[in-house]
Amino acid sequence: MAFLEFKNVRIAGIAAGVPKNIADNLHPTADDAVSTEYSPEDFVKTTGVKERRVSFELTTSDLCYEAAEKLIADLGWDKKEIEAIIFASQTPDYILPATACILQDRLGLSKECYATDMTLGCSGWVYGLSSIVSLLSAGTIKKGLLMCGEAKARYRGRKRLRNPLFGSAGTVTAVEFKEGAPAIQFHVGTDGSGFDAIITPDGGSRNPVTIDSFEPEMYEGKETLRLQSRMKGMDVFSFGITTAPKSVKKLAEYYDFDYLDADYFIFHQANMKMNNMIAKKLKLAPEKVPSSMYYYGNTNGASIPMTIVAELKGKVEDKPTMFVCCGFGVGLSWGTVAFKTDQLIISDLVEVSDEETDKVHVV
């Protein structure tokens, strides 16, 4: 059974960075042509996504870097004491090296730093949190950063139609070793039989890039490339509304707590209809289920910390707060975590222009 519990580690702070550029689904510009079978009004009503943040210049690491600089300053941390970075994303800077290595140097952190990437998508923040918390629980590493985000607009390029559901964001979660900190508890799972439910067919060693990778083909009624992600929408929808509530209940049952006692439930921001159904199955009060979809869209693995920054800043910092968070998607994989915070630092949202970021490590 994939249940994990780690003690003596606390979540100290959370930050998020987004592009300054706002793409409005109701009024798309020529630079932000989108692909959908719905009218703009029907799309917003169905998905709950009106605006997204998009950039053709900024990478995921650019957004995470700016958020990290802000959070480290707000925490008052000495950079040389940060000895672990995990970068979770489907849009790394390069196939290799790991983007975490680039961020270690770019941030000026100690060379005695554990740095690695994870390629998970929508469950990436929960999986990444379980990994970095486990590293710190032994007490030999005192401070670490989980960086999680996506920047798909740059990856897809200006000439390709984009999905109006997705936005760009880079988030940073700071964790530190603290004796006596409440346990952080996880339930994680994987169903690899659904590996092709969300997939980018070409670009890996199974299907290397060829000239055919750039030829449009029809998939689920839409023209796409084999270098672009594709999704079996109904399969993913059914998976999400079934798996997420089960995972929350399994975690609560295994660790013997009433999940309804949690102050907030943060779910992966897939779409409004899916999340409303998950909340209904769990019998959750609407005020306990904040959403960032309307203004930021589906930010993939970043969506849980993105929602905390966008919706809960000013509400949870100065009091003990219990969170239950669940991410689900690519893999197919899922993860639920329950944790408590006290004196949590939530940085102001960092808005990054294409010109502002310190772009380095370009080959």
Side-chain angles (χ1 to χ4, degrees), residues 181-202:
I184 303 177
Q185 299 163 330
F186 297 86
H187 171 253
V188 293
T190 307
D191 181 6
S193 68
F195 78 98
D196 61 346
I198 309 173
I199 190 171
T200 302
D202 288 2

Side-chain angles (χ1 to χ4, degrees), residues 95-337:
I95 293 176
L96 58 86
T99 303
C101 298
I102 295 172
L103 284 164
Q104 171 273 326
D105 179 64
R106 190 172 178 183
L107 287 166
L109 307 187
S110 167
K111 292 182 180 180
E112 299 291 326
C113 186
Y114 178 106
T116 190
D117 284 8
M118 299 179 69
T119 56
L120 284 169
C122 309
S123 62
W125 185 78
V126 178
Y127 269 83
L129 187 65
S130 70
S131 295
I132 200 160
V133 168
S134 71
L135 287 175
L136 269 65
S137 63
T140 52
I141 297 176
K142 304 296 185 183
K143 292 181 172 68
L145 301 176
L146 168 61
M147 301 186 177
C148 187
E150 299 295 344
K152 290 185 175 181
R154 176 176 172 82
Y155 185 78
R156 294 175 73 91
R158 288 182 180 270
K159 295 184 179 181
R160 295 296 173 188
L161 293 176
R162 282 165 295 286
N163 189 320
L165 187 66
F166 296 99
S168 296
T171 66
V172 181
T173 304
V175 296
E176 64 179 349
F177 178 82
K178 182 181 180 181
E179 290 189 7
I184 303 177
Q185 299 163 330
F186 297 86
H187 171 253
V188 293
T190 307
D191 181 6
S193 68
F195 78 98
D196 61 346
I198 309 173
I199 190 171
T200 302
D202 288 2
S205 61
R206 180 67 64 189
N207 298 315
V209 176
T210 68
I211 191 67
D212 292 336
S213 302
F214 299 91
E215 291 296 325
E217 63 181 29
M218 296 304 293
Y219 180 82
E220 297 266 309
K222 297 180 182 179
E223 188 177 272
T224 186
L225 304 183
R226 292 182 59 82
L227 285 171
Q228 296 174 332
S229 60
R230 51 185 64 180
M231 178 173 66
K232 297 178 180 178
M234 291 309 299
D235 290 355
V236 174
F237 186 88
S238 177
F239 160 74
I241 64 173
T242 302
T243 304
K246 284 184 178 178
S247 182
V248 171
K249 291 178 180 178
K250 285 182 179 180
L251 180 69
E253 180 180 1
Y254 189 85
Y255 289 110
D256 192 27
F257 67 89
D258 185 348
Y259 67 82
L260 292 174
D261 289 339
D263 296 292
Y264 292 102
F265 296 82
I266 317 294
F267 298 107
H268 165 54
Q269 303 290 286
N271 64 65
M272 181 178 65
K273 186 175 182 180
M274 182 182 291
N275 282 15
N276 285 346
M277 292 185 70
I278 293 170
K280 184 176 180 180
K281 285 189 174 187
L282 290 169
K283 297 180 171 58
L284 304 179
E287 61 270 18
K288 285 190 171 187
V289 191
S291 172
S292 60
M293 277 182 278
Y294 189 81
Y295 291 111
Y296 301 100
N298 179 339
T299 52
N300 295 91
S303 68
I304 292 173
M306 180 72 226
T307 299
I308 293 174
V309 172
E311 298 298 321
L312 297 182
K313 181 172 175 57
K315 299 178 181 179
V316 301
E317 293 95 319
D318 296 328
K319 60 183 180 181
T321 306
M322 179 178 178
F323 292 86
V324 172
C325 305
C326 180
F328 47 88
V330 184
L332 295 167
S333 64
W334 62 94
T336 300
V337 58

